[in-house]
Amino acid sequence: MNKRIFLDPLFKNNPVSVLALGICSALAVTVKMEPALVMALSVTLVTGFSGLILSMLRNTIPDRIRIIVQLIVIATLVILVDQVLKAFAYPISKQLSVFVGLIITNCIIMGRIEAFALHNKPFHAFVDGIANGLGYGIILVAVSFFRELFGSGTLMGYPLIPESWYVYAGGFYENNGLFILPPMALIVVGLIVWVFNAHNAKKDKKAWNK
């Protein structure tokens, strides 16, 4: 069961590419890989620990105030993440700006709490939260990989394209500025969704034929 809980959000039921959750931040923080990785890690930690805490409290929370309790737990974790980033990774914190705070409204977190954490044991809820955070992170990193590489010619801020290749140096290459604009994020996410859906459809077809 633990294996299925962990693997499903990574591939078959990926929260971004299959369930279309958390797409807004996937578009906003993927111009560079470094902030995308930090955002992915932040969401993974918040999703995992919020699921764990709320699963532990699930039998003591009155139903009429469960959303308020969920928001308090998530907001507390987000504030902790934000303060740690400001203390130890201030330049990245500045790049992410308000988007760290907006983790509070990420529908993946609320969705997994409502659909899973409130109905399962703490360890399973924690695994589910971590897996969904990683599934979200995979898409963020994939999108930022293509956007930074083709838009800026770098990865993690390090130049990957030799300077002699650029047109201004007498070469043949020029960065594609479209990749650092928001529309390209939508296009790349759309292509990833297409790949995931095609792969899942192929697997389902094989299973059906058996």
Side-chain angles (χ1 to χ4, degrees):
M1 181 180 178
N2 290 341
K3 185 178 179 181
R4 180 181 59 80
I5 292 172
F6 184 77
L7 293 178
D8 267 11
L10 300 182
F11 305 106
K12 188 175 181 180
N13 290 309
N14 186 281
V16 180
S17 63
V18 177
L19 305 179
L21 301 174
I23 288 181
C24 295
S25 55
L27 306 182
V29 300
T30 54
V31 176
K32 301 284 185 182
M33 272 191 75
E34 191 173 25
L37 279 168
V38 173
M39 176 62 82
L41 178 61
S42 301
V43 171
T44 300
L45 291 173
V46 172
T47 307
F49 283 100
S50 62
L52 173 67
I53 293 168
L54 287 160
S55 178
M56 293 170 66
L57 297 174
R58 69 188 187 281
N59 295 323
T60 63
I61 303 172
D63 190 62
R64 65 183 181 276
I65 62 166
R66 75 181 192 284
I67 300 297
I68 297 172
V69 175
Q70 289 171 27
L71 287 173
I72 291 171
V73 170
I74 296 168
T76 302
L77 291 170
V78 170
I79 290 169
L80 288 173
V81 168
D82 188 40
Q83 293 303 308
V84 169
L85 286 177
K86 285 179 178 176
F88 297 102
Y90 186 69
I92 299 175
S93 177
K94 281 192 72 176
Q95 287 183 57
L96 291 173
S97 184
V98 299
F99 295 107
V100 174
L102 289 175
I103 293 174
I104 296 169
T105 62
N106 193 310
C107 43
I108 296 172
I109 302 172
M110 293 292 291
R112 294 321 299 167
I113 290 170
E114 283 288 305
F116 196 91
L118 295 182
H119 310 286
N120 289 275
K121 294 179 180 178
F123 179 72
H124 291 158
F126 180 72
V127 172
D128 177 77
I130 293 294
N132 275 275
L134 291 175
Y136 165 87
I138 288 171
I139 304 302
L140 246 66
V141 172
V143 174
S144 64
F145 173 87
F146 291 107
R147 293 187 71 192
E148 182 175 358
L149 178 61
F150 294 111
S152 304
T154 62
L155 280 179
M156 296 293 289
Y158 295 100
L160 212 65
I161 308 297
E163 192 170 351
S164 59
W165 287 16
Y166 283 99
V167 172
Y168 67 81
F172 59 90
Y173 185 80
E174 192 165 350
N175 292 328
N176 190 334
L178 180 61
F179 273 85
I180 62 176
L181 298 177
M184 186 51 69
L186 279 172
I187 293 170
V188 176
V189 169
L191 289 172
I192 292 173
V193 169
W194 172 70
V195 170
F196 265 80
N197 287 341
H199 176 70
N200 287 339
K202 191 175 180 180
K203 284 183 67 177
D204 291 342
K205 188 177 180 181
K206 283 183 179 180
W208 178 260
N209 290 335
K210 288 180 181 180

